[in-house]
PDB file of all heavy atoms in Angstrom:
ATOM      1  N   MET A1170      25.250  -3.916  47.547  1.00 82.00           N
ATOM      2  CA  MET A1170      25.639  -3.679  46.161  1.00 82.00           C
ATOM      3  C   MET A1170      24.435  -3.187  45.375  1.00 82.00           C
ATOM      4  O   MET A1170      23.374  -3.783  45.424  1.00 82.00           O
ATOM      5  CB  MET A1170      26.186  -4.958  45.535  1.00 82.00           C
ATOM      6  CG  MET A1170      27.514  -5.362  46.101  1.00 82.00           C
ATOM      7  SD  MET A1170      28.179  -6.824  45.287  1.00 82.00           S
ATOM      8  CE  MET A1170      28.412  -6.219  43.625  1.00 82.00           C
ATOM      9  N   LEU A1174      23.836  -0.245  35.929  1.00 94.00           N
ATOM     10  CA  LEU A1174      23.022   0.190  34.793  1.00 94.00           C
ATOM     11  C   LEU A1174      23.915   0.817  33.739  1.00 94.00           C
ATOM     12  O   LEU A1174      24.707   1.706  34.028  1.00 94.00           O
ATOM     13  CB  LEU A1174      21.974   1.216  35.252  1.00 94.00           C
ATOM     14  CG  LEU A1174      21.189   1.950  34.167  1.00 94.00           C
ATOM     15  CD1 LEU A1174      20.265   0.997  33.419  1.00 94.00           C
ATOM     16  CD2 LEU A1174      20.388   3.099  34.762  1.00 94.00           C
ATOM     17  N   GLU A1181      24.030  13.484  20.833  1.00 91.00           N
ATOM     18  CA  GLU A1181      22.923  14.434  20.963  1.00 91.00           C
ATOM     19  C   GLU A1181      22.009  14.092  22.150  1.00 91.00           C
ATOM     20  O   GLU A1181      21.344  14.966  22.689  1.00 91.00           O
ATOM     21  CB  GLU A1181      22.095  14.466  19.668  1.00 91.00           C
ATOM     22  CG  GLU A1181      22.832  14.994  18.461  1.00 91.00           C
ATOM     23  CD  GLU A1181      23.713  13.959  17.745  1.00 91.00           C
ATOM     24  OE1 GLU A1181      23.797  12.805  18.196  1.00 91.00           O
ATOM     25  OE2 GLU A1181      24.335  14.323  16.734  1.00 91.00           O
ATOM     26  N   ALA A1186      20.714  11.385  28.906  1.00 94.00           N
ATOM     27  CA  ALA A1186      21.393  10.303  29.621  1.00 94.00           C
ATOM     28  C   ALA A1186      21.915  10.776  30.978  1.00 94.00           C
ATOM     29  O   ALA A1186      21.777  10.081  31.990  1.00 94.00           O
ATOM     30  CB  ALA A1186      22.540   9.757  28.768  1.00 94.00           C
ATOM     31  N   ILE A1189      19.009  11.167  33.480  1.00 94.00           N
ATOM     32  CA  ILE A1189      18.574   9.857  33.986  1.00 94.00           C
ATOM     33  C   ILE A1189      19.606   9.301  34.968  1.00 94.00           C
ATOM     34  O   ILE A1189      19.251   8.758  36.018  1.00 94.00           O
ATOM     35  CB  ILE A1189      18.336   8.870  32.820  1.00 94.00           C
ATOM     36  CG1 ILE A1189      17.181   9.348  31.928  1.00 94.00           C
ATOM     37  CG2 ILE A1189      18.102   7.458  33.335  1.00 94.00           C
ATOM     38  CD1 ILE A1189      15.812   9.322  32.569  1.00 94.00           C
ATOM     39  N   LEU A1193      18.810   8.157  38.887  1.00 94.00           N
ATOM     40  CA  LEU A1193      18.894   6.750  39.293  1.00 94.00           C
ATOM     41  C   LEU A1193      20.135   6.424  40.128  1.00 94.00           C
ATOM     42  O   LEU A1193      20.307   5.283  40.559  1.00 94.00           O
ATOM     43  CB  LEU A1193      18.843   5.849  38.058  1.00 94.00           C
ATOM     44  CG  LEU A1193      17.570   5.964  37.211  1.00 94.00           C
ATOM     45  CD1 LEU A1193      17.645   5.034  36.017  1.00 94.00           C
ATOM     46  CD2 LEU A1193      16.334   5.695  38.035  1.00 94.00           C
ATOM     47  N   ASP A1198      24.474   1.768  40.306  1.00 91.00           N
ATOM     48  CA  ASP A1198      25.784   2.225  39.851  1.00 91.00           C
ATOM     49  C   ASP A1198      25.611   2.378  38.351  1.00 91.00           C
ATOM     50  O   ASP A1198      25.477   1.387  37.627  1.00 91.00           O
ATOM     51  CB  ASP A1198      26.881   1.202  40.162  1.00 91.00           C
ATOM     52  CG  ASP A1198      27.249   1.191  41.631  1.00 91.00           C
ATOM     53  OD1 ASP A1198      27.186   2.256  42.260  1.00 91.00           O
ATOM     54  OD2 ASP A1198      27.598   0.114  42.142  1.00 91.00           O
ATOM     55  N   TRP A1202      27.765   5.562  28.320  1.00 92.00           N
ATOM     56  CA  TRP A1202      28.704   5.022  27.339  1.00 92.00           C
ATOM     57  C   TRP A1202      30.001   5.812  27.214  1.00 92.00           C
ATOM     58  O   TRP A1202      31.049   5.256  26.907  1.00 92.00           O
ATOM     59  CB  TRP A1202      28.031   4.916  25.967  1.00 92.00           C
ATOM     60  CG  TRP A1202      27.660   6.268  25.387  1.00 92.00           C
ATOM     61  CD1 TRP A1202      26.500   6.940  25.573  1.00 92.00           C
ATOM     62  CD2 TRP A1202      28.465   7.110  24.563  1.00 92.00           C
ATOM     63  NE1 TRP A1202      26.517   8.147  24.924  1.00 92.00           N
ATOM     64  CE2 TRP A1202      27.718   8.278  24.293  1.00 92.00           C
ATOM     65  CE3 TRP A1202      29.739   7.001  24.026  1.00 92.00           C
ATOM     66  CZ2 TRP A1202      28.205   9.312  23.508  1.00 92.00           C
ATOM     67  CZ3 TRP A1202      30.225   8.036  23.236  1.00 92.00           C
ATOM     68  CH2 TRP A1202      29.457   9.171  22.988  1.00 92.00           C
ATOM     69  N   ASN A1203      29.970   7.114  27.472  1.00 91.00           N
ATOM     70  CA  ASN A1203      31.160   7.951  27.252  1.00 91.00           C
ATOM     71  C   ASN A1203      32.030   8.092  28.501  1.00 91.00           C
ATOM     72  O   ASN A1203      32.960   8.885  28.511  1.00 91.00           O
ATOM     73  CB  ASN A1203      30.746   9.332  26.745  1.00 91.00           C
ATOM     74  CG  ASN A1203      30.043  10.157  27.810  1.00 91.00           C
ATOM     75  OD1 ASN A1203      29.468   9.617  28.754  1.00 91.00           O
ATOM     76  ND2 ASN A1203      30.092  11.457  27.660  1.00 91.00           N
ATOM     77  N   GLU A1215      34.309  -5.235  19.877  1.00 89.00           N
ATOM     78  CA  GLU A1215      34.823  -6.114  20.933  1.00 89.00           C
ATOM     79  C   GLU A1215      34.276  -5.725  22.299  1.00 89.00           C
ATOM     80  O   GLU A1215      33.850  -6.568  23.082  1.00 89.00           O
ATOM     81  CB  GLU A1215      36.353  -6.030  21.017  1.00 89.00           C
ATOM     82  CG  GLU A1215      37.113  -6.796  19.974  1.00 89.00           C
ATOM     83  CD  GLU A1215      38.606  -6.595  20.174  1.00 89.00           C
ATOM     84  OE1 GLU A1215      39.122  -5.538  19.747  1.00 89.00           O
ATOM     85  OE2 GLU A1215      39.232  -7.489  20.763  1.00 89.00           O
ATOM     86  N   ALA A1227      20.109  -2.209  31.311  1.00 95.00           N
ATOM     87  CA  ALA A1227      20.565  -1.318  30.243  1.00 95.00           C
ATOM     88  C   ALA A1227      19.400  -0.427  29.811  1.00 95.00           C
ATOM     89  O   ALA A1227      18.251  -0.870  29.771  1.00 95.00           O
ATOM     90  CB  ALA A1227      21.092  -2.103  29.052  1.00 95.00           C
ATOM     91  N   LEU A1229      18.676   2.312  26.630  1.00 97.00           N
ATOM     92  CA  LEU A1229      19.124   2.903  25.378  1.00 97.00           C
ATOM     93  C   LEU A1229      18.188   4.046  25.041  1.00 97.00           C
ATOM     94  O   LEU A1229      16.968   3.876  25.056  1.00 97.00           O
ATOM     95  CB  LEU A1229      19.128   1.862  24.257  1.00 97.00           C
ATOM     96  CG  LEU A1229      20.219   0.784  24.354  1.00 97.00           C
ATOM     97  CD1 LEU A1229      21.604   1.367  24.429  1.00 97.00           C
ATOM     98  CD2 LEU A1229      20.020  -0.238  25.403  1.00 97.00           C
ATOM     99  N   LYS A1233      16.047  12.025  18.280  1.00 93.00           N
ATOM    100  CA  LYS A1233      15.951  12.425  16.873  1.00 93.00           C
ATOM    101  C   LYS A1233      17.334  12.833  16.356  1.00 93.00           C
ATOM    102  O   LYS A1233      17.700  13.999  16.381  1.00 93.00           O
ATOM    103  CB  LYS A1233      15.000  13.611  16.724  1.00 93.00           C
ATOM    104  CG  LYS A1233      13.578  13.318  17.089  1.00 93.00           C
ATOM    105  CD  LYS A1233      12.738  14.584  16.982  1.00 93.00           C
ATOM    106  CE  LYS A1233      11.326  14.349  17.424  1.00 93.00           C
ATOM    107  NZ  LYS A1233      10.519  15.570  17.407  1.00 93.00           N
ATOM    108  N   LYS A1238      14.413   7.203   5.484  1.00 90.00           N
ATOM    109  CA  LYS A1238      13.300   7.075   4.550  1.00 90.00           C
ATOM    110  C   LYS A1238      12.786   5.639   4.640  1.00 90.00           C
ATOM    111  O   LYS A1238      13.544   4.684   4.517  1.00 90.00           O
ATOM    112  CB  LYS A1238      13.758   7.377   3.128  1.00 90.00           C
ATOM    113  CG  LYS A1238      12.646   7.473   2.122  1.00 90.00           C
ATOM    114  CD  LYS A1238      13.203   7.919   0.778  1.00 90.00           C
ATOM    115  CE  LYS A1238      12.098   8.139  -0.218  1.00 90.00           C
ATOM    116  NZ  LYS A1238      12.634   8.595  -1.503  1.00 90.00           N
ATOM    117  N   ILE A1252      19.811   0.968  18.338  1.00 94.00           N
ATOM    118  CA  ILE A1252      18.980  -0.205  18.078  1.00 94.00           C
ATOM    119  C   ILE A1252      19.831  -1.473  18.179  1.00 94.00           C
ATOM    120  O   ILE A1252      19.416  -2.474  18.764  1.00 94.00           O
ATOM    121  CB  ILE A1252      18.293  -0.100  16.696  1.00 94.00           C
ATOM    122  CG1 ILE A1252      17.439   1.176  16.616  1.00 94.00           C
ATOM    123  CG2 ILE A1252      17.478  -1.344  16.398  1.00 94.00           C
ATOM    124  CD1 ILE A1252      16.404   1.347  17.709  1.00 94.00           C
ATOM    125  N   PHE A1253      21.040  -1.437  17.636  1.00 94.00           N
ATOM    126  CA  PHE A1253      21.948  -2.582  17.719  1.00 94.00           C
ATOM    127  C   PHE A1253      22.244  -2.933  19.184  1.00 94.00           C
ATOM    128  O   PHE A1253      22.158  -4.089  19.592  1.00 94.00           O
ATOM    129  CB  PHE A1253      23.253  -2.276  16.966  1.00 94.00           C
ATOM    130  CG  PHE A1253      24.273  -3.369  17.085  1.00 94.00           C
ATOM    131  CD1 PHE A1253      24.136  -4.542  16.364  1.00 94.00           C
ATOM    132  CD2 PHE A1253      25.371  -3.223  17.918  1.00 94.00           C
ATOM    133  CE1 PHE A1253      25.082  -5.560  16.481  1.00 94.00           C
ATOM    134  CE2 PHE A1253      26.320  -4.227  18.038  1.00 94.00           C
ATOM    135  CZ  PHE A1253      26.169  -5.402  17.314  1.00 94.00           C
ATOM    136  N   VAL A1267      16.079  -4.498  30.125  1.00 94.00           N
ATOM    137  CA  VAL A1267      16.613  -3.663  29.044  1.00 94.00           C
ATOM    138  C   VAL A1267      15.466  -2.793  28.525  1.00 94.00           C
ATOM    139  O   VAL A1267      14.401  -3.298  28.184  1.00 94.00           O
ATOM    140  CB  VAL A1267      17.194  -4.528  27.903  1.00 94.00           C
ATOM    141  CG1 VAL A1267      17.777  -3.650  26.807  1.00 94.00           C
ATOM    142  CG2 VAL A1267      18.248  -5.487  28.441  1.00 94.00           C
ATOM    143  N   ASN A1292      11.959  19.610  25.946  1.00 76.00           N
ATOM    144  CA  ASN A1292      11.560  21.022  26.048  1.00 76.00           C
ATOM    145  C   ASN A1292      12.430  21.815  25.076  1.00 76.00           C
ATOM    146  O   ASN A1292      13.602  22.045  25.341  1.00 76.00           O
ATOM    147  CB  ASN A1292      11.779  21.551  27.472  1.00 76.00           C
ATOM    148  CG  ASN A1292      10.716  21.089  28.427  1.00 76.00           C
ATOM    149  OD1 ASN A1292       9.626  20.699  28.028  1.00 76.00           O
ATOM    150  ND2 ASN A1292      11.032  21.121  29.709  1.00 76.00           N
ATOM    151  N   ASN A1294      12.285  25.034  24.051  1.00 68.00           N
ATOM    152  CA  ASN A1294      12.643  26.398  24.457  1.00 68.00           C
ATOM    153  C   ASN A1294      13.134  26.496  25.899  1.00 68.00           C
ATOM    154  O   ASN A1294      13.235  27.583  26.435  1.00 68.00           O
ATOM    155  CB  ASN A1294      11.428  27.319  24.274  1.00 68.00           C
ATOM    156  CG  ASN A1294      10.958  27.350  22.839  1.00 68.00           C
ATOM    157  OD1 ASN A1294      11.782  27.299  21.927  1.00 68.00           O
ATOM    158  ND2 ASN A1294       9.669  27.412  22.627  1.00 68.00           N
ATOM    159  N   LYS A1303      10.807  13.389  33.386  1.00 90.00           N
ATOM    160  CA  LYS A1303      10.797  13.145  34.838  1.00 90.00           C
ATOM    161  C   LYS A1303       9.942  11.923  35.171  1.00 90.00           C
ATOM    162  O   LYS A1303      10.335  11.084  35.983  1.00 90.00           O
ATOM    163  CB  LYS A1303      10.289  14.376  35.587  1.00 90.00           C
ATOM    164  CG  LYS A1303      11.266  15.528  35.575  1.00 90.00           C
ATOM    165  CD  LYS A1303      10.673  16.750  36.249  1.00 90.00           C
ATOM    166  CE  LYS A1303      11.598  17.952  36.108  1.00 90.00           C
ATOM    167  NZ  LYS A1303      11.000  19.176  36.638  1.00 90.00           N
ATOM    168  N   LYS A1304       8.782  11.809  34.526  1.00 92.00           N
ATOM    169  CA  LYS A1304       7.910  10.653  34.760  1.00 92.00           C
ATOM    170  C   LYS A1304       8.589   9.355  34.317  1.00 92.00           C
ATOM    171  O   LYS A1304       8.470   8.330  34.985  1.00 92.00           O
ATOM    172  CB  LYS A1304       6.580  10.828  34.031  1.00 92.00           C
ATOM    173  CG  LYS A1304       5.658  11.818  34.700  1.00 92.00           C
ATOM    174  CD  LYS A1304       4.367  11.971  33.920  1.00 92.00           C
ATOM    175  CE  LYS A1304       3.523  13.065  34.555  1.00 92.00           C
ATOM    176  NZ  LYS A1304       2.336  13.382  33.753  1.00 92.00           N
ATOM    177  N   ILE A1312      10.844   0.465  38.632  1.00 91.00           N
ATOM    178  CA  ILE A1312      11.070  -0.840  37.993  1.00 91.00           C
ATOM    179  C   ILE A1312      12.394  -1.431  38.468  1.00 91.00           C
ATOM    180  O   ILE A1312      12.459  -2.604  38.846  1.00 91.00           O
ATOM    181  CB  ILE A1312      11.063  -0.706  36.455  1.00 91.00           C
ATOM    182  CG1 ILE A1312       9.657  -0.417  35.945  1.00 91.00           C
ATOM    183  CG2 ILE A1312      11.609  -1.973  35.800  1.00 91.00           C
ATOM    184  CD1 ILE A1312       9.608  -0.030  34.480  1.00 91.00           C
ATOM    185  N   LYS A1314      14.123  -0.673  41.130  1.00 89.00           N
ATOM    186  CA  LYS A1314      14.050  -0.959  42.568  1.00 89.00           C
ATOM    187  C   LYS A1314      13.360  -2.303  42.808  1.00 89.00           C
ATOM    188  O   LYS A1314      13.810  -3.110  43.605  1.00 89.00           O
ATOM    189  CB  LYS A1314      13.320   0.161  43.296  1.00 89.00           C
ATOM    190  CG  LYS A1314      13.455   0.087  44.790  1.00 89.00           C
ATOM    191  CD  LYS A1314      13.185   1.448  45.383  1.00 89.00           C
ATOM    192  CE  LYS A1314      13.274   1.450  46.868  1.00 89.00           C
ATOM    193  NZ  LYS A1314      14.573   1.172  47.399  1.00 89.00           N
ATOM    194  N   ILE A1321      17.703 -13.439  37.748  1.00 55.00           N
ATOM    195  CA  ILE A1321      17.266 -13.836  36.423  1.00 55.00           C
ATOM    196  C   ILE A1321      18.193 -14.944  35.951  1.00 55.00           C
ATOM    197  O   ILE A1321      19.403 -14.779  35.881  1.00 55.00           O
ATOM    198  CB  ILE A1321      17.335 -12.659  35.407  1.00 55.00           C
ATOM    199  CG1 ILE A1321      16.384 -11.541  35.807  1.00 55.00           C
ATOM    200  CG2 ILE A1321      17.053 -13.130  33.995  1.00 55.00           C
ATOM    201  CD1 ILE A1321      14.930 -11.807  35.566  1.00 55.00           C
TER     202      ILE A1321
END
Side-chain angles (χ1 to χ4, degrees):
M1170 290 183 64
L1174 170 68
E1181 295 83 358
I1189 296 292
L1193 300 180
D1198 285 327
W1202 65 271
N1203 70 336
E1215 282 179 280
L1229 289 304
K1233 296 177 184 177
K1238 189 174 185 179
I1252 302 305
F1253 176 76
V1267 182
N1292 283 340
N1294 300 324
K1303 289 176 186 175
K1304 285 179 185 173
I1312 289 170
K1314 192 159 179 65
I1321 297 286

